[in-house]
Structures are given as C-alpha cells and as structure tokens.
Amino acid sequence: YCINDSTASPTTSASPTHAPTISSVPTVSPAPSVQPSLNPTPAPNSVSERFKLRLYWSPNYNWQETRKETFWCWQCRGGCKVDKLIEIDHCKGADYFQYYGEDNSYRPFSNPELCVTEDGFDKESRPLRLKKCNGGIKQKWDNSGYSESVGFNFDKSKPWEIHPGSKMDKCVTQMHHPKAHERVFIRRCQKPRINTTSKWVTYG
C-alpha cells in the first residue's frame, strides 16, 4: 500500500471577499409611537440629591414666644406609603425627599414611585398626601423666592416658597407657629407670610 508524505496544498481564492458594506444613513422608524408615556422617566440629571425639607428659620423669628432656633422638617406620618399625609416634625428623625425637575414633583427618597400631592386648599384637614405619580397638575409644584429670583436649591441661605401648580397666591405651610406633628397643607400666602412660615430650605 502507499502512504502520502504530505497533504495537498490549501486552495487560495483568487478574488477575496469584499469589505462589508456600511450604510451611510441610519434607518429611521417610519411610524414612531404616537401616544407618549403617561409617566415618563425623568432624565437622570433632573433628579436632585436627597434632602430633608426644613421650614426656614431666621434669628428675628419669634415662634412660640421664643427666638431660639428650631428645626422642623417634612415627615411622612406612618411611613412614606400611599395615602400617608405630610406633617412637620423634628428634623433629626425626618424623612428624606428628592425633587424631580422633569415634572416638578417632590418624592420620598425611600419610595420614588409616590409623589407629594395637593388635596385641597385652606384647610388643615386637607393636608398634602402621597399618591402614585401620574404627572397630573396636583403633583406639580412651583418654587419661587417671593420678591426674589430664587427657586429650588441647596443653599441654606436662599429659602423659597412652594406653590401648587401655577397658583402663586397659595403656599405650602402649616398652622401658625410650628410644633411637632402639625399637618402640612396649602393656604393663601398672606397668613403664612405674616406668621413667617411660608419659606423652606433643604437640610441634611
């Protein structure tokens, strides 16, 4: 029998395969979706860092017959869950929130699917509550400085007022001079401004 000493030479193509083609114009969907999302995800850079929202205090304020500095912040009564109301309590144990600039909403840091929601005007029995975020007008808040060009910020020397939607004559506040567990609600700005309880700052 015969044994070949080497394998046959490999075949070589005389015409190598051409380089792959690349489209110079990207394809575009001919029919983009018409119906936008009812609850779009905010752009990452529009979400603030977490903070506690403190009722602004100044050395010339005289709350509860004293000029001693006090620290009152937003807190979810009974935890930041659906339908829980917002109250003020000592800042040390208060809840953290975030501001979403994309839809002008305030949301608890521990439960960002919920939004602080307006539930009526001029009544302490109609406090702010947490509801599922839906992009509605009752979850949009206008931040202004009242005679100053100030909005939401992290500068503790630049307080601002919080107004429901575009109702600039109404302010987020609590009843008269602050004390623990007072409900946060919306009333006409005149009284809170007289009581020096219409402004807020970030804290912590």
Side-chain angles (χ1 to χ4, degrees), residues 53-58 61-74 87-91 124 172-185 187 191-192 194-200:
L53 198 58
R54 179 192 177 192
L55 191 61
Y56 176 69
W57 177 89
S58 174
Y61 287 4
N62 187 24
W63 289 344
Q64 304 294 345
E65 308 304 324
T66 178
R67 295 191 184 278
K68 180 181 179 181
E69 182 173 12
T70 54
F71 297 83
W72 300 106
C73 289
W74 278 15
E87 64 180 10
I88 59 167
D89 203 355
H90 299 287
C91 288
E124 193 178 15
V172 171
T173 184
Q174 39 60 245
M175 185 62 75
H176 201 244
H177 291 165
K179 56 186 178 182
H181 305 298
E182 284 188 321
R183 295 179 171 192
V184 177
F185 67 108
R187 66 189 312 188
K191 280 191 176 181
I194 293 173
N195 295 334
T196 60
T197 58
S198 70
K199 296 182 179 181
W200 303 87

Side-chain angles (χ1 to χ4, degrees), residues 26-200:
T27 58
V28 179
S29 171
S33 58
V34 177
Q35 185 65 34
S37 170
L38 295 177
N39 188 21
T41 303
N45 60 1
S46 73
V47 181
S48 75
E49 298 176 11
R50 72 175 192 171
F51 58 86
K52 295 180 181 182
L53 198 58
R54 179 192 177 192
L55 191 61
Y56 176 69
W57 177 89
S58 174
N60 64 333
Y61 287 4
N62 187 24
W63 289 344
Q64 304 294 345
E65 308 304 324
T66 178
R67 295 191 184 278
K68 180 181 179 181
E69 182 173 12
T70 54
F71 297 83
W72 300 106
C73 289
W74 278 15
Q75 176 174 280
C76 312
R77 180 179 292 182
C80 294
K81 307 172 208 175
V82 174
D83 288 331
K84 295 298 183 180
L85 63 84
I86 303 297
E87 64 180 10
I88 59 167
D89 203 355
H90 299 287
C91 288
K92 185 176 180 180
D95 294 297
Y96 285 97
F97 289 81
Q98 288 178 291
Y99 179 66
Y100 283 64
E102 185 78 7
D103 59 3
N104 300 322
S105 64
Y106 285 95
R107 309 185 188 195
F109 177 72
S110 62
N111 198 347
E113 292 184 355
L114 302 181
C115 286
V116 175
T117 306
E118 171 254 303
D119 192 35
F121 300 99
D122 296 322
K123 291 183 179 180
E124 193 178 15
S125 61
R126 305 298 297 271
L128 304 185
R129 290 187 181 274
L130 294 177
K131 303 284 186 181
K132 284 284 187 181
C133 295
N134 57 30
I137 188 64
K138 291 185 177 183
Q139 297 178 344
K140 295 182 183 296
W141 303 95
D142 190 299
N143 306 297
S144 73
Y146 177 54
S147 78
E148 302 173 13
S149 180
V150 178
F152 175 85
N153 66 86
F154 281 89
D155 187 336
K156 294 175 177 56
S157 66
K158 295 181 178 179
W160 72 92
E161 291 180 341
I162 303 175
H163 308 277
S166 58
K167 300 178 179 70
M168 303 303 288
D169 63 328
K170 293 182 172 62
C171 291
V172 171
T173 184
Q174 39 60 245
M175 185 62 75
H176 201 244
H177 291 165
K179 56 186 178 182
H181 305 298
E182 284 188 321
R183 295 179 171 192
V184 177
F185 67 108
I186 299 167
R187 66 189 312 188
R188 296 185 185 279
C189 293
Q190 183 179 6
K191 280 191 176 181
R193 288 170 182 167
I194 293 173
N195 295 334
T196 60
T197 58
S198 70
K199 296 182 179 181
W200 303 87

